[in-house]
Amino acid sequence: MDLKALLTLNNADKLFANPKRIALLKQIRITGSISQGAKQAGISYKAAWDAVNDMNLQAPQPVISSEKGGKGGGGAKLTEFGERLLKLYELMDQMQDMVLKALLDAAVPMDNLLDLMAHFSLKTSARNQLAGEVIALKDDSLNDNVRVKLAGGQEIDAAITHASTDKLGLHIGKKVLLLFKAPAVSIHSLQQPLSSGNRLKGQLLQIKRDTQRSEITLDIGGNDRLYASVCNDSLEGLPLALGDHLQACFEPGQTLIACVK
């Protein structure tokens, strides 16, 4: 399937913007003229003028500012509001494309907007990107401890400042994305006791080695993968056959939180 959605913006039940009007605005921005913009967009001058006038009347601020001209014709340009409208339309068009791609790919999470955006567009240096829901917030004097439940049921603690909690608008039930780097994770046997920090149990999916370090991939449930980059010496004595169960450990302070506010 080659699906394409046509984005239309209505003001109540009245048309405000659609692909044809957005194409006209783009050409007016390029040419500096409603008449030339209409020509490039493939519509009549009257249709272009009526569209611009209608948008200007509906919007809280004009979309196009124009001057009546003489022999050479008048000039026209997008206002600041018009420029923001084009940017908004482009962003919404990108989001529509992401949703359509997700429809045709069963591996793409569609539980919330954050999961969808992270799958297609969020690029960071943190190898681990895990989505979850805030289930507890605790004030620990200098910082806040945020507990997040992952799709597979396991839980992660993140230590962030009070200011960060306020900035992100965190609350119980908030959907968030947890970010932490693979070198921040250590790997241990399930039997090894650990006094503090996050501990996630997982099944070994992949191990890659060089002379000094190993990259480990664990399945931690809920279609989530956890990645660790560790010194080879730290893996001595551990069961490292594919399918073996291990625990990944990292400190709450190593975890960053991202969300859509």
Side-chain angles (χ1 to χ4, degrees):
M1 297 178 71
D2 185 16
L3 300 177
K4 180 64 179 177
L6 298 178
L7 177 60
T8 299
L9 303 180
N10 290 329
N11 180 18
D13 293 328
K14 188 175 182 181
L15 172 66
F16 176 64
N18 63 6
K20 185 176 291 187
R21 288 188 172 186
I22 293 298
L24 172 63
L25 294 184
K26 289 180 178 179
Q27 292 303 322
I28 292 174
R29 180 172 61 181
I30 294 171
T31 63
S33 164
I34 294 178
S35 62
Q36 289 300 312
K39 183 177 180 180
Q40 295 299 320
I43 61 177
S44 69
Y45 175 74
K46 183 180 185 305
W49 176 257
D50 288 344
V52 168
N53 188 54
D54 184 54
M55 295 178 77
N56 278 349
L57 290 174
Q58 289 192 62
Q61 304 171 36
V63 174
I64 293 287
S65 64
S66 60
E67 296 179 358
K68 291 184 179 179
K71 185 176 179 180
K77 65 178 183 179
L78 267 67
T79 63
E80 182 179 350
F81 183 82
E83 292 285 358
R84 288 182 61 80
L85 174 61
L86 286 188
K87 291 178 182 177
L88 170 69
Y89 200 91
E90 289 171 0
L91 289 172
M92 294 180 69
D93 198 40
Q94 291 174 22
M95 292 175 66
Q96 281 193 150
D97 287 343
M98 286 193 292
V99 173
L100 291 176
K101 289 179 182 178
L103 173 63
L104 302 177
D105 187 348
V108 178
M110 295 185 67
D111 295 327
N112 58 75
L113 179 60
L114 182 60
D115 284 354
L116 184 63
M117 293 177 66
H119 179 88
F120 284 113
S121 59
L122 184 61
K123 306 298 181 184
T124 77
S125 61
R127 186 80 185 278
N128 291 294
Q129 301 179 19
L130 302 175
E133 179 179 319
V134 176
I135 60 171
L137 286 168
K138 182 180 179 182
D139 185 338
D140 286 338
S141 184
L142 294 178
N143 294 310
D144 287 333
N145 188 77
V146 184
R147 179 158 292 179
V148 176
K149 188 173 184 178
L150 304 178
Q154 300 197 71
E155 299 174 3
I156 291 179
D157 288 334
I160 63 175
T161 64
H162 304 314
S164 294
T165 300
D166 293 338
K167 180 180 179 180
L168 295 171
L170 297 183
H171 57 77
I172 305 300
K174 179 90 170 182
K175 301 292 186 181
V176 298
L177 193 67
L178 303 176
L179 309 172
F180 52 97
K181 294 186 175 183
V185 180
S186 60
I187 298 296
H188 307 272
S189 68
L190 295 180
Q191 293 74 32
Q192 182 173 344
L194 298 167
S195 58
S196 63
N198 289 302
R199 291 181 289 174
L200 296 179
K201 297 178 181 179
Q203 189 173 21
L204 183 61
L205 290 181
Q206 187 179 60
I207 181 169
K208 296 181 180 179
R209 293 178 180 268
D210 63 18
T211 57
Q212 295 184 324
R213 300 188 67 82
S214 294
E215 291 188 0
I216 289 177
T217 305
L218 298 182
D219 179 351
I220 59 172
N223 292 319
D224 284 332
R225 303 289 183 267
L226 184 141
Y227 304 95
S229 176
V230 299
C231 294
N232 290 335
D233 292 345
S234 69
L235 298 176
E236 290 185 5
L238 294 181
L240 295 177
L242 297 185
D244 284 340
H245 289 82
L246 300 161
Q247 61 178 332
C249 305
F250 54 98
E251 293 299 320
Q254 296 285 345
T255 307
L256 300 178
I257 297 179
C259 67
V260 177
K261 189 171 182 180

